[in-house]
Amino acid sequence: QVQLTESGGGLVPPGESLRLSCTADAFTFDRRAIYWFRQVPGKEREGVLCISASDEVKNFVESIKGRFTISRDNSGHTVYLQMNSLKPEDTAIYYCAADSLVTACTGDNDLDIFPPLEYRGQGTQVTVSS
């Protein structure tokens, strides 16, 4: 059973940074696309960033450009979401998702179309507030 686990969330004031980690048991991230989503209770999920199997990055949200980055470590077991200059509107539960067969980053928030991703974590809460 593949289990994805996110960590690194918390409560921070506006302008601060957080680095989220996504780790996996019985699953390696290399040669697969890894997605980060966020969701506010009562609202639709929102794709944030994705890193493909060839390390191409796709940004799904205009408002995070220049502030958020995604990377993976060489071991293939951890993917990071670095979030800088956080804003209150970034407050959400952040979770990572992946699938054994998905290697590219595709999707669209406006159409709410993303590839089927079999594995996802429970998420980590990020709260940006003064």
Side-chain angles (χ1 to χ4, degrees), residues 74-104:
N74 292 331
S75 74
H77 291 284
T78 305
V79 171
Y80 303 101
L81 179 65
Q82 178 68 44
M83 306 186 297
N84 299 327
S85 302
L86 282 161
K87 302 177 180 180
E89 51 263 43
D90 296 318
T91 295
I93 296 171
Y94 286 72
Y95 65 92
C96 55
D99 189 278
S100 299
L101 301 179
V102 177
T103 60

Side-chain angles (χ1 to χ4, degrees), residues 10-130:
L11 170 63
V12 295
E16 293 295 311
S17 299
L18 284 173
R19 188 175 78 160
L20 306 184
S21 298
C22 172
T23 58
D25 291 332
F27 188 82
T28 57
F29 289 146
D30 55 338
R31 298 187 300 278
R32 297 179 173 102
I34 311 301
Y35 288 70
W36 279 100
F37 291 91
R38 63 187 182 185
Q39 189 164 22
V40 175
K43 294 189 177 181
E44 294 292 325
R45 67 166 179 189
E46 182 177 56
V48 179
L49 280 169
C50 173
I51 185 167
S52 74
S54 58
D55 287 342
E56 293 179 25
V57 175
K58 183 174 178 63
N59 180 358
F60 297 108
V61 184
E62 185 69 24
S63 67
I64 68 168
K65 280 186 177 179
R67 301 190 298 121
F68 290 16
T69 57
I70 187 172
S71 62
R72 68 173 88 225
D73 75 355
N74 292 331
S75 74
H77 291 284
T78 305
V79 171
Y80 303 101
L81 179 65
Q82 178 68 44
M83 306 186 297
N84 299 327
S85 302
L86 282 161
K87 302 177 180 180
E89 51 263 43
D90 296 318
T91 295
I93 296 171
Y94 286 72
Y95 65 92
C96 55
D99 189 278
S100 299
L101 301 179
V102 177
T103 60
C105 293
T106 60
D108 186 290
N109 281 320
D110 291 337
L111 300 175
D112 192 25
I113 294 177
F114 290 93
L117 302 170
E118 182 176 1
Y119 309 120
R120 59 159 287 181
Q122 293 294 316
T124 184
Q125 176 71 48
V126 171
T127 303
V128 185
S129 175
S130 54

